[in-house]
Amino acid sequence: MPAVKLTASEIGMLWIQYVQNTMTIQFLRYFDETVEDEEIKSVVQYAERFSSTVIEDIERIFKEEELLVPDGFNEKDVNMEAPKLFSDGFIVMFLGNMGKAGVLAYGASLSASSREDVRQFFSRCVTETTELFNRAVDVGLEKGIHVRPPQIDVQKEIEYVGGKKYLSPFQKRSLNTIEISHLFENIKTNMLGEAICAAFAQTSTSKEIVAYMKKGENISSKHIQSFSHVLNVSEIHPPMGSNSLVTNSTTQTFSDRLIVFLMSVLSTTGQGNYSAASTASMRYDLVLTYQRLSVEVALYAKDGLDLMIKHGWLEEPPQAPDRNELITHSSN
């Protein structure tokens, strides 16, 4: 066992990655069972092997450090006998988003780590999720289901901003390429969220969870419309949604605990995306739009947190000792 103990940051990052990978692998196991295209199946299996390795490595580190291994999620959280719920096109989108989110999450975990073995672990994770993203994009392009960002004509000479009019929310200039990129990607992630919410709403047996998922579907739909409108005004075509991402299956496929936890993860990711987009955008109307919609996502995430607490589904991350409680206990 390494002589240097894990830092609080390292424990926290390893903990959340363990829990999230035990959730993700339930989807991947189900995808492996239901995917029809063999080339997409190979990407699913690559992701499945990667998540399994992450789970095993973190479990080993925790046991070596004599830390409690989180419960996370397991085979009880997925019905492997359920009919096909997601199309192969959705699975490619899911894998691509998993790779993209993984590069960011593992990169952040790496930057917060100090111990050599932990840095090496997260470095491998960054490499593997980059490979996953590339494989998902490649197979998506080959199958004609990967949505490319738009191509535009740009000025031939370097220009500098001539005044505050460039930032104005009232005299709106055409979008720059950075703003287009964020709008486009946020539409795509909301399309994925909309499909996930629709699938969970039609398969959950709990009226409470169904209502929560329908609310999430409506939020995603509204955000897609908002971002698409901005692109349309600049005569840029937004990515088109598809009603074929989810099948007509109504059989419960995933546990309510798992699907609410996933919505929590997606909401957190969405807030991060909106924050990055707000910071990168140089038109004040876009900044205000991202900030306003981010509040809506935060409130939705809180509703999910309340649901998890209500039903006893929320596993506590490792935390520092409460010194006041220790002092009180020792004095009794």
Side-chain angles (χ1 to χ4, degrees):
M1 183 176 68
V4 180
K5 294 183 64 176
L6 293 173
T7 65
S9 295
E10 290 163 346
I11 294 172
M13 294 298 183
L14 289 167
W15 189 92
I16 192 62
Q17 294 300 343
Y18 181 90
V19 174
Q20 290 188 6
N21 272 277
T22 59
M23 173 199 68
T24 301
I25 202 167
Q26 308 314 321
F27 282 94
L28 296 173
R29 290 175 56 237
Y30 175 73
F31 291 160
D32 193 11
E33 187 71 22
T34 58
V35 68
E36 296 170 7
D37 186 282
E38 288 300 320
E39 290 177 278
I40 298 175
K41 187 182 184 74
S42 70
V43 184
V44 171
Q45 292 175 341
Y46 176 86
E48 192 175 358
R49 290 192 298 272
F50 166 67
S51 281
S52 294
T53 301
V54 169
I55 292 168
E56 292 169 2
D57 287 348
I58 296 177
E59 186 172 339
R60 173 184 52 77
I61 292 172
F62 271 40
K63 287 181 177 178
E64 288 176 352
E65 294 291 317
E66 298 182 352
L67 297 169
L68 293 174
V69 177
D71 287 338
F73 298 89
N74 54 45
E75 64 276 0
K76 295 179 182 178
D77 291 295
V78 57
N79 176 11
M80 296 294 289
E81 303 300 321
K84 185 179 179 70
L85 179 59
F86 298 107
S87 71
D88 286 5
F90 172 91
I91 293 174
V92 172
M93 286 180 63
F94 185 97
L95 293 169
N97 192 69
M98 177 184 168
K100 181 172 68 174
V103 171
L104 296 173
Y106 289 121
S109 298
L110 172 61
S111 66
S113 300
S114 302
R115 212 171 80 175
E116 183 180 7
D117 63 323
V118 178
R119 285 186 284 113
Q120 290 176 347
F121 167 71
F122 283 128
S123 295
R124 290 196 304 272
C125 290
V126 171
T127 300
E128 294 290 334
T129 47
T130 301
E131 176 65 17
L132 172 60
F133 174 77
N134 285 327
R135 291 191 184 199
V137 171
D138 286 344
V139 75
L141 288 170
E142 182 183 335
K143 305 295 178 183
I145 52 181
H146 176 75
V147 182
R148 293 175 181 267
Q151 295 177 327
I152 63 169
D153 293 324
V154 296
Q155 74 271 19
K156 302 299 183 183
E157 297 179 358
I158 294 174
E159 297 180 8
Y160 286 82
V161 175
K164 292 185 178 180
K165 181 180 176 181
Y166 191 83
L167 311 175
S168 174
F170 304 110
Q171 297 176 320
K172 298 174 184 176
R173 56 166 170 77
S174 60
L175 298 166
N176 65 41
T177 52
I178 297 170
E179 292 161 346
I180 293 170
S181 175
H182 283 287
L183 287 165
F184 195 84
E185 289 303 318
N186 280 314
I187 291 174
K188 285 175 61 178
T189 54
N190 273 287
M191 285 168 51
L192 185 68
E194 185 181 34
I196 289 173
C197 286
F200 292 160
Q202 72 187 40
T203 55
S204 175
T205 58
S206 165
K207 291 182 179 179
E208 187 178 35
I209 303 302
V210 169
Y212 179 66
M213 293 303 159
K214 285 184 175 179
K215 182 178 180 180
E217 184 180 5
N218 290 335
I219 290 173
S220 289
S221 177
K222 186 175 74 173
H223 290 200
I224 290 169
Q225 292 174 18
S226 179
F227 298 142
S228 296
H229 173 72
V230 178
L231 289 175
N232 281 323
V233 169
S234 289
E235 299 183 357
I236 297 170
H237 296 298
M240 299 299 293
S242 172
N243 294 324
S244 62
L245 294 177
V246 179
T247 72
N248 294 326
S249 173
T250 57
T251 303
Q252 181 152 15
T253 308
F254 300 98
S255 70
D256 289 337
R257 174 176 176 257
L258 184 146
I259 64 180
V260 175
F261 180 82
L262 174 61
M263 297 315 300
S264 173
V265 173
L266 293 179
S267 296
T268 301
T269 303
Q271 286 179 278
N273 291 340
Y274 287 3
S275 177
S278 175
T279 302
S281 299
M282 298 181 70
R283 254 176 46 178
Y284 287 148
D285 62 310
L286 293 180
V287 174
L288 293 174
T289 296
Y290 282 122
Q291 292 177 348
R292 173 174 55 83
L293 298 183
S294 184
V295 171
E296 191 170 23
V297 175
L299 292 174
Y300 181 70
K302 183 185 179 302
D303 289 343
L305 194 65
D306 290 342
L307 270 175
M308 295 189 75
I309 292 173
K310 175 183 176 181
H311 292 284
W313 295 337
L314 188 61
E315 189 173 356
E316 290 186 14
Q319 59 190 47
D322 186 329
R323 298 298 175 185
N324 290 328
E325 184 179 340
L326 292 174
I327 292 171
T328 302
H329 179 76
S330 64
S331 61
N332 289 337

